[in-house]
């Protein structure tokens, strides 16, 4: 009986991992408008995608969450070949976050100060589910979150690690942590 129970759990884990790896989140439609866009640092293409969105006026303002304290807006503007005016008018840098959970808390505080009713979350496709889970837990339920995943080619190891982090975070959320 115990062996069957653990075999069943293993089967559920394998099926879940297959779903997680095969059905990665996709980019959102470019013409969808939100109050603001938020991007988590740490992966290639994330900031580029967020800058495209705010540049196309699909969102009013951008928060780049998890920025190193030594980074200055002018340096970031030069690195991404954008005008300093865009950074002055439409982009905020968040320096408090160090992980996905603190990204969500930083974003929630920022969105609350702005009174946003909708945010577009930009992160890598393999990271989107856990980032969205954290953001949903940090934000009030009336704020709509639009997932906008940057497509990548994650390794099997990356997917394995992220799937297990996602499961552990889900279990922790069920336990109220």
């Amino acid at each position: 009986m115990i062996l069957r129970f653990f075999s069943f759990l293993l089967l559920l884990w394998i099926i879940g991992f297959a779903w997680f790896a095969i059905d990665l989140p996709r980019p959102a439609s470019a013409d969808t408008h939100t109050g603001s866009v938020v991007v988590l640092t740490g992966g290639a293409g994330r900031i580029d995608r967020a800058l495209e969105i705010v540049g196309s006026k699909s969102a009013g303002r951008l928060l780049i969450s998890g920025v190193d304290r030594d980074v200055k807006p002018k340096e970031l503007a030069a690195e991404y070949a954008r005008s300093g005016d865009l950074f002055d008018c439409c982009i905020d840098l968040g320096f408090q976050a160090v992980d996905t959970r603190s990204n969500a808390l930083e974003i929630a505080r920022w969105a609350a100060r702005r009174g946003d009713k909708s945010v577009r979350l930009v992160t890598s496709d393999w990271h989107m589910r856990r980032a969205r889970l954290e953001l949903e837990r940090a934000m009030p339920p009336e704020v709509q979150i639009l997932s906008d995943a940057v497509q990548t080619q994650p390794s099997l190891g990356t997917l394995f690690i992220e799937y297990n982090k996602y499961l552990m975070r889900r279990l922790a959320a069920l336990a109220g942590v």
Side-chain angles (χ1 to χ4, degrees):
M1 186 73 165
I2 294 173
L3 182 60
R4 285 183 186 167
F5 176 73
F6 284 113
S7 297
F8 178 71
L9 287 180
L10 179 62
L11 182 62
L12 283 179
W13 182 91
I14 291 169
I15 291 169
F17 179 68
W19 161 77
F20 187 88
I22 292 169
D23 191 29
L24 290 174
R26 292 172 180 69
S29 173
D31 61 348
T32 305
H33 293 275
T34 56
S36 59
V37 59
V38 295
V39 61
L40 283 61
T41 58
R46 294 178 185 184
I47 294 175
D48 290 314
R49 174 70 176 152
L51 289 171
E52 283 174 28
I53 293 163
V54 79
S56 71
K57 308 275 191 245
S58 292
R61 196 148 183 97
L62 165 64
L63 171 66
I64 303 174
S65 178
V67 177
D68 186 280
R69 293 184 190 282
D70 296 332
V71 173
K72 305 293 181 251
K74 300 266 187 245
E75 296 168 351
L76 211 52
E79 183 176 336
Y80 287 94
R82 299 298 199 281
S83 74
D85 294 341
L86 180 65
F87 275 77
D88 291 340
C89 84
C90 307
I91 299 171
D92 296 318
L93 303 181
F95 299 102
Q96 302 302 313
V98 294
D99 59 14
T100 305
R101 194 170 184 186
S102 59
N103 281 130
L105 295 172
E106 181 174 65
I107 291 165
R109 285 190 299 268
W110 179 81
R113 281 194 308 270
R114 289 183 32 79
D116 281 329
K117 297 296 177 209
S118 62
V119 295
R120 180 187 297 235
L121 173 62
V122 176
T123 190
S124 301
D125 50 6
W126 55 267
H127 186 243
M128 181 59 75
R129 288 185 181 102
R130 187 164 56 94
R132 185 177 174 114
L133 173 67
E134 294 291 0
L135 191 55
E136 286 172 346
R137 289 181 48 79
M139 295 284 254
E142 64 271 7
V143 177
Q144 294 180 341
I145 302 168
L146 174 67
S147 297
D148 193 347
V150 174
Q151 292 186 300
T152 65
Q153 297 293 322
S155 68
L156 189 60
T158 298
L159 291 171
F160 178 81
I161 291 168
E162 187 62 24
Y163 177 64
N164 286 303
K165 284 181 176 181
Y166 176 71
L167 284 181
M168 291 301 108
R169 192 61 196 118
R170 273 265 188 225
L171 290 172
L174 285 173
V177 178

